[in-house]
Amino acid sequence: MRTQVAIIGAGPAGLLLGQLLQRAGIETVILERRSADYVLGRIRAGVLEQGTVELIARAGCDARLRVEGLPHAGVNLCFGGRRHRIDLAALTAGKEVVVYGQTEVTRDLMEARAAAGARTVYEAAGVHLEGFDRARPVVHFLKGGIAQTLECDFIAGCDGFYGVSRQSVPEGALETFERVYPFGWLGLLADVPPANEELIYVNHEDGFALCSMRSPTRSRYYLQCAADEKVENWSDQRFWDELRRRLDPEAAAALVTGPALEKSIAPLRSFVAEPLRFGRLFLAGDVAHIVPPTGAKGLNLAASDVHYLSEALIEYYGEGSSAGIDAYSTRALARVWKAERFSWWMTSLLHHFPENGRFGHRIQLAELEYLVSSRAAAASLAENYVGLPF
Ligand code: APR
Ligand code: PHB
């Protein structure tokens, strides 16, 4: 088999990159370890920055997003039992975020790729990357137990944090930066109307909470929990009672409870691997960086890398220039680190850190008070939350 760009991974990064390249006449093959159903079964956040929405539109996959996506012009901070709205649109000259589940983004991209007749090999096992330090990279894999070879010009490693691409980089060629947080997020999904039309981020002395949603009839809630907490210790009732305790009175009164469709605990970490290019191998998305979900940047950073990488490859094939691919890592990482900072800052501001003592909690409350009483401080949060320019 031969193609121009081999993409490893059919998550948001791989699918969005594939769609943008295909529309520019660049042939791609995506190799995905799991089945399509498995990929679609993942529960993931979906707060889309304006730039991400525009990129999905450029990929020709925004029809359902325009109809079913929920535009949000504001976001709420709750602390000391009081809720404060940050007017994102007013503070960013009209920018908003759109709430639209990542699963739906993935589904739209998968369907568009299939409709375009572009090739995705699902359940591709044992992917092995070779020769990306030379002019003719090759990807080896098994399909149905039969060994296959994919020759290409470039490899885009979009295979997530646990993928093979980053592991394929020669020892010593990669530098990593990491912070693991001393708590997790216990998430619950339920077919109940959201407690509030917009998101509510809560700093409570017993821990962080978040009220989000997937649609007007499906809600997503999170509670900060111990890093070693077990989801089986949390009945639905215990979850709802603790969430209600951490919310402001109005949201607590508006909370509609119901049976959990899904309940799980996710760890929180910040992680960056540098650089993002090794000869003809490029890294994009979670394979290269992870953010704590507090800033809702995970999917948006995958889209950010894809914005730069797709532009670079289109320039290479269209104009024969290597300027874009030579600059990809530096350009993408500049925006990655700004989102890493914002995600770390939101996490530090809103979670309970016992090791920081009572002084640490008062500093958090002082910063939150400053945020909701200073236009300059609120504008800084707003411009990061809606997404910095590419
Ligand atoms: N071979 C082929 N495919 C692989 C391999 C492998 N060795 N390892 C992983 N994959 C696939 C995974 O099955 C997954 O479908 O690569 C895909 C990576 O997708 P994501 O992990 O979703 O990463 P990315 O596309 O960068 O999207 C980042 O997804 O996980 C969320 O919070 C994250 O919102 C962020 C977004
Ligand atoms: C979600 O809806 O799952 C969600 C929203 C915002 C976040 C994190 C998760 O910051």
Side-chain angles (χ1 to χ4, degrees):
M1 229 185 310
R2 167 138 187 68
T3 192
Q4 289 175 296
V5 180
I7 298 173
I8 316 299
L15 287 165
L16 184 54
L17 177 65
Q19 190 60 14
L20 289 165
L21 295 182
Q22 288 291 136
R23 285 171 68 90
I26 298 166
E27 194 193 80
T28 63
V29 170
I30 296 182
L31 302 179
E32 164 58 49
R33 176 167 63 179
R34 302 289 189 174
S35 69
D37 287 346
Y38 184 96
V39 173
L40 287 172
R42 292 187 184 119
I43 304 281
R44 290 277 196 279
V47 175
L48 308 184
E49 295 174 357
Q50 196 139 328
T52 301
V53 172
E54 288 159 9
L55 205 56
I56 293 170
R58 208 185 310 158
C61 297
D62 62 329
R64 205 155 63 96
L65 165 56
R66 298 287 180 196
V67 173
E68 296 177 19
L70 304 173
H72 283 201
V75 68
N76 299 273
L77 299 175
C78 176
F79 56 96
R82 291 174 296 122
R83 192 189 327 165
H84 306 263
R85 184 172 187 266
I86 302 289
D87 189 339
L88 299 173
L91 292 161
T92 61
K95 287 190 176 181
E96 301 178 334
V97 292
V98 175
V99 172
Y100 186 68
Q102 178 174 310
T103 305
E104 305 320 312
V105 173
T106 305
R107 188 192 317 280
D108 295 341
L109 289 166
M110 274 184 184
E111 288 173 358
R113 183 169 179 83
R119 181 146 190 211
T120 304
V121 179
Y122 288 100
E123 297 175 305
V127 167
H128 174 71
L129 313 184
E130 198 177 79
F132 50 82
D133 54 343
R134 300 191 301 272
R136 317 295 301 165
V138 175
V139 183
H140 301 280
F141 64 97
L142 294 169
K143 176 63 180 169
I146 298 169
Q148 308 277 341
T149 299
L150 176 61
E151 296 178 355
C152 54
D153 300 334
F154 298 103
I155 302 171
C158 302
D159 44 338
F161 187 68
Y162 299 101
V164 68
S165 299
R166 194 179 69 247
Q167 315 299 340
S168 304
V169 172
E171 191 67 33
L174 202 67
E175 191 174 6
T176 61
F177 306 83
E178 184 167 35
R179 171 160 297 183
V180 177
Y181 297 91
F183 41 72
W185 276 21
L186 168 61
L188 181 145
L189 187 72
D191 276 338
V192 294
N196 190 55
E197 275 190 357
E198 294 174 337
L199 274 65
I200 307 176
Y201 289 84
V202 183
N203 173 303
H204 186 278
E205 59 191 359
D206 293 340
F208 168 84
L210 171 60
C211 299
S212 182
M213 73 288 293
R214 292 290 176 272
S215 74
T217 60
R218 178 167 286 191
S219 298
R220 180 71 169 162
Y221 294 107
Y222 296 95
L223 293 174
Q224 175 182 348
C225 65
D228 59 357
E229 181 61 272
K230 299 284 179 278
V231 67
E232 45 272 13
N233 295 340
W234 286 81
S235 67
D236 291 5
Q237 194 56 54
R238 183 185 176 196
F239 184 96
W240 293 123
D241 292 345
E242 183 59 25
L243 175 63
R244 191 177 282 113
R245 233 167 46 76
R246 297 185 189 180
L247 291 178
D248 61 277
E250 186 188 346
L255 183 65
V256 177
T257 65
L261 297 173
E262 188 266 352
K263 214 168 12 184
S264 56
I265 293 177
L268 274 73
R269 83 172 75 236
S270 297
F271 172 86
V272 179
E274 293 184 357
L276 305 186
R277 181 210 184 167
F278 306 88
R280 287 178 172 254
L281 168 63
F282 299 96
L283 303 180
D286 268 18
V287 64
H289 39 72
I290 296 289
V291 282
T294 328
K297 291 300 172 195
L299 176 55
N300 293 300
L301 270 188
S304 181
D305 291 349
V306 167
H307 164 79
Y308 294 115
L309 184 54
S310 60
E311 270 194 350
L313 289 167
I314 290 168
E315 178 193 70
Y316 174 84
Y317 283 106
E319 302 165 30
S321 162
S322 297
I325 56 177
D326 293 343
Y328 165 66
S329 182
T330 303
R331 290 179 74 197
L333 282 169
R335 197 165 184 277
V336 163
W337 274 109
K338 292 188 180 74
E340 287 282 348
R341 182 211 64 84
F342 177 68
S343 304
W344 161 83
W345 173 75
M346 285 279 277
T347 302
S348 307
L349 177 66
L350 293 165
H351 289 76
H352 180 53
F353 290 81
E355 66 276 24
N356 292 350
R358 296 171 66 246
F359 177 80
H361 185 53
R362 295 304 286 266
I363 289 291
Q364 285 181 329
L365 295 180
E367 180 148 19
L368 285 159
E369 280 295 349
Y370 172 55
L371 266 174
V372 300
S373 57
S374 155
R375 183 180 172 82
S380 172
L381 186 158
E383 71 172 359
N384 280 278
Y385 196 82
V386 300
L388 297 176
F390 283 132

